[in-house]
Amino acid sequence: MKRAYDILIAGGGIVGAACADELARRGADVCVVEAECAGSGATAAGMGHVVVMDDSEAQFALNHCSQQLWNELREALPENCEFDGCGTLWAAADEEEMNEARRKADHYAARGVAAEILDSAALAEAEPNLRPGLAGALFVPGDSVVFAPCVAKWLLDRAMENGATLITGKRIVELRSDGAVLNDGSIISAKRMVNAAGSLAPQLTPGIPVRPRKGHIVVTDRYPGFVRHHITELGYLKNAHASDRDSVSFVVQRRMTGQVLLGSSRQFDVTDAAIEPGILARMIQRALEYMPGLGQLNTIRCWAGFRAATPDNLPLIGPHPTRENLWLATGHEGLGITMAPGTGRLLADLMLDGEALIDPAPYLPARFANSEARHG
Amino acid sequence: MADAKRNGIKVWVNGAELSVPPDCTAAAAVARAGVTMHRRSVEGHARGPLCGMGVCMECRVTINGELHQRGCQTLCMDGMRIETAEVASDA
Ligand SMILES: Cc1cc2nc3c(=O)[nH]c(=O)nc-3n(C[C@H](O)[C@H](O)[C@H](O)COP(=O)(O)OP(=O)(O)OC[C@H]3O[C@@H](n4cnc5c(N)ncnc54)[C@H](O)[C@@H]3O)c2cc1C
Ligand code: FES
């Protein structure tokens, strides 16, 4: 009765779902085990911004190819996935940030990504609820926003149409080289395992360089038209957003429902998902500096989730450097929703075909092999 | 006549002028105007005051152009404009 799957995926967040979809489409016999329900974890906590970032060439490459895959998915996605091609506005508060906006614009232009500089007046027209007097913005029209948990569910449904098996409500307690042990004592046999457990991945594969990085989000009631794009401040260059310290920055996003999503915070070394009023207050204060009218809106909920951070801000996609039959697809920090389709494609390329869509080297877990040996 | 003092405050409910006593809430003013639906749920169902004490959020109306104000927690002020779902732009 018992059979061995070709591939067992630990985690049905958007990354696990995208991997399952891609592997099942190419004929692999896949089983996904998800402790909660499809699209939980960070996928249910994130903002769903599909954004091309340029912190490094490797980050750009995976983002860019993912964005193209998102655009291919767009037509097929059902309405509840709320695909909204609203674009990103990178808001510049002063001349220094405007210079960064211009640098970014050139950088994108050189790589075939459309981007447009808005001056102060054009920004005020594009987003009337921003505080007057901002220096301007960079507008990236190709970015979009999605409702990630529904996308994850849809990808898993499609994987199942292609023969995949989904087990929900059961936690993997041990990933072995020939399968997984679940919390009810049952064993699922498989030839190869993929750890796609997001920020919880190190629980299943101790020693991998993934740290949980907590983030808070606030959602308001419905105020159609109050925000018209996804807006991120360029000021993150000056605050501690890129460092290890706790930090907040202004991020605001329109939802198709008319709701406004407000972020974001970053904290290491916290594992409790409880709302922390201190950092939440800092985050809201920062947002009010950019968009004072937010103070008049009703908040209906706030929550926190965990990004899976790596030391070099790039995900871990590929075989584990030492453990047999074990593959990793995690470590996407704040870009896992964006990078999910590219990750699924790349992982399937590596696991099944051996020929990859983009150069896989920067994402291979083997890049940390030495430090892992040191840390055990 | 005895009502002249009691009905001291003038408000507008969906564009219709109405006199209400001091200490009248916006939700009570809406009721006095004969309107029962304050807003529509996300799925389009009619909603009106339920708890009367600021908790359920079902009595939300647009007050002086501000969306999602709780009718049961807002006292009427002279000249206040109250709009329910039939009229409010987010209906
Ligand atoms: C506040 C915040 C804002 C964000 N905003 C954005 C954004 O705008 N754009 C963007 O691209 N990214 C964003 N991110 C990042 C993005 O949410 C994540 O990178 C992405 O969701 C990661 O997906 P995942 O599938 O790898 O992990 P997760 O979504 O965390 O999924 C992992 C799954 O594995 C399951 N699991 C864990 N352990 C086990 C086990 N032992 N057995 C079985 N199942 C298990 C969990 O239940 C979970 O469902 C944000 C993150 C946060 C926290
Ligand atoms: S009736 Fe419940 S909040 Fe007003």
Side-chain angles (χ1 to χ4, degrees):
Chain A
M1 184 71 207
K2 244 184 209 158
R3 58 172 175 164
Y5 293 96
D6 291 336
I7 297 168
L8 180 145
I9 300 176
I14 197 161
V15 170
C19 293
D21 174 49
E22 202 58 48
L23 290 164
R25 279 203 309 164
R26 299 193 202 179
D29 185 17
V30 175
C31 176
V32 179
V33 181
E34 164 54 52
E36 317 259 333
C37 63
S40 41
T43 301
M47 293 187 91
H49 187 210
V50 175
V51 53
V52 173
M53 293 283 292
D54 61 342
D55 293 344
S56 66
E57 288 299 339
Q59 186 189 58
F60 176 85
L62 188 54
N63 267 241
H64 193 46
C65 88
S66 292
Q67 191 173 66
Q68 284 158 346
L69 295 171
W70 272 109
N71 288 335
E72 286 169 22
L73 273 182
R74 178 180 190 158
E75 289 301 309
L77 288 176
E79 212 173 309
N80 70 355
C81 294
E82 296 180 18
F83 191 107
D84 180 8
C86 60
T88 307
L89 277 173
W90 296 93
D94 54 30
E95 243 344 273
E96 186 188 346
E97 291 176 19
M98 244 354 233
N99 287 335
E100 169 60 11
R102 288 187 202 100
R103 185 206 61 78
K104 237 173 148 58
D106 293 344
H107 193 85
Y108 285 141
R111 286 159 186 77
V113 176
E116 186 189 334
I117 293 287
L118 305 187
D119 65 15
S120 185
L123 176 60
E125 198 180 321
E127 288 289 351
N129 285 308
L130 281 173
R131 131 171 90 82
L134 292 173
L138 177 70
F139 178 46
V140 183
D143 290 348
S144 47
V145 166
V146 296
F147 189 52
C150 285
V151 179
K153 165 104 181 30
W154 182 80
L155 288 168
L156 287 167
D157 286 346
R158 194 163 78 164
M160 286 191 280
E161 279 166 27
N162 288 316
T165 303
L166 172 65
I167 298 172
T168 56
K170 289 185 189 173
R171 181 169 293 281
I172 297 175
V173 291
E174 191 190 347
L175 266 189
R176 306 199 307 213
S177 60
D178 61 352
V181 184
L182 309 192
N183 60 344
D184 62 358
S186 60
I187 292 176
I188 312 272
S189 303
K191 294 173 195 146
R192 290 186 283 178
M193 323 308 132
V194 178
N195 185 347
S199 68
L200 296 176
Q203 289 184 357
L204 293 174
T205 311
I208 55 171
V210 168
R211 283 167 84 192
R213 201 170 190 197
K214 185 172 177 177
H216 288 75
I217 302 284
V218 172
V219 63
T220 72
D221 212 327
R222 297 173 180 234
Y223 299 92
F226 187 87
V227 175
R228 300 172 182 182
H229 305 84
H230 179 106
I231 313 175
T232 304
E233 63 158 302
L234 280 168
Y236 71 89
L237 297 165
K238 285 183 238 164
N239 64 35
H241 232 45
S243 82
D244 259 20
R245 301 211 316 269
D246 290 1
S247 69
V248 297
S249 85
F250 166 62
V251 185
V252 78
Q253 179 187 90
R254 83 163 188 195
R255 301 298 311 186
M256 298 277 256
T257 54
Q259 288 170 287
V260 176
L261 268 195
L262 180 67
S264 75
S265 62
R266 280 182 153 79
Q267 290 168 278
F268 278 122
D269 307 321
V270 198
T271 48
D272 181 355
I275 301 297
E276 293 171 62
I279 191 136
L280 189 66
R282 273 176 61 195
M283 183 180 107
I284 292 171
Q285 196 53 49
R286 184 72 181 165
L288 290 175
E289 287 167 20
Y290 279 84
M291 210 171 230
L294 281 171
Q296 307 309 313
L297 309 191
N298 292 343
T299 290
I300 61 172
R301 216 153 60 85
C302 46
W303 63 85
F306 295 95
R307 308 169 184 92
T310 62
D312 62 0
N313 266 318
L314 291 172
L316 300 164
I317 306 167
H320 187 279
T322 54
R323 285 185 53 183
E324 208 186 345
N325 300 335
L326 178 64
W327 292 63
L328 303 176
T330 183
H332 295 78
E333 218 269 354
L335 289 169
I337 293 163
T338 303
M339 298 199 273
T343 300
R345 178 71 73 93
L346 193 57
L347 187 83
D349 286 348
L350 294 172
M351 290 187 89
L352 303 180
D353 303 340
E355 203 172 303
L357 176 72
I358 56 171
D359 177 12
Y363 325 106
L364 291 176
R367 69 188 188 275
F368 293 115
N370 291 335
S371 54
E372 256 168 68
R374 266 205 316 278
H375 298 150
Chain B
M1 272 121 281
D3 279 2
K5 207 175 117 206
R6 297 195 54 226
N7 288 357
I9 294 179
K10 218 175 267 178
V11 298
W12 305 78
V13 175
N14 296 341
E17 193 181 321
L18 193 75
S19 270
V20 298
D23 299 334
C24 180
T25 64
V30 171
R32 282 175 160 239
V35 177
T36 50
M37 180 178 72
H38 279 219
R39 62 182 200 96
R40 286 197 182 276
S41 73
V42 168
E43 285 170 355
H45 301 298
R47 290 284 190 268
L50 178 70
C51 70
M53 59 186 196
V55 178
C56 72
M57 309 297 280
E58 296 293 15
C59 62
R60 282 173 284 159
V61 288
T62 299
I63 295 182
N64 295 335
E66 271 190 56
L67 302 180
H68 307 302
Q69 305 301 305
R70 282 171 296 178
C72 76
Q73 298 298 299
T74 310
L75 289 179
C76 286
M77 309 267 273
D78 213 29
M80 183 182 269
R81 293 186 171 269
I82 305 163
E83 274 149 20
T84 66
E86 297 99 326
V87 168
S89 60
D90 67 327

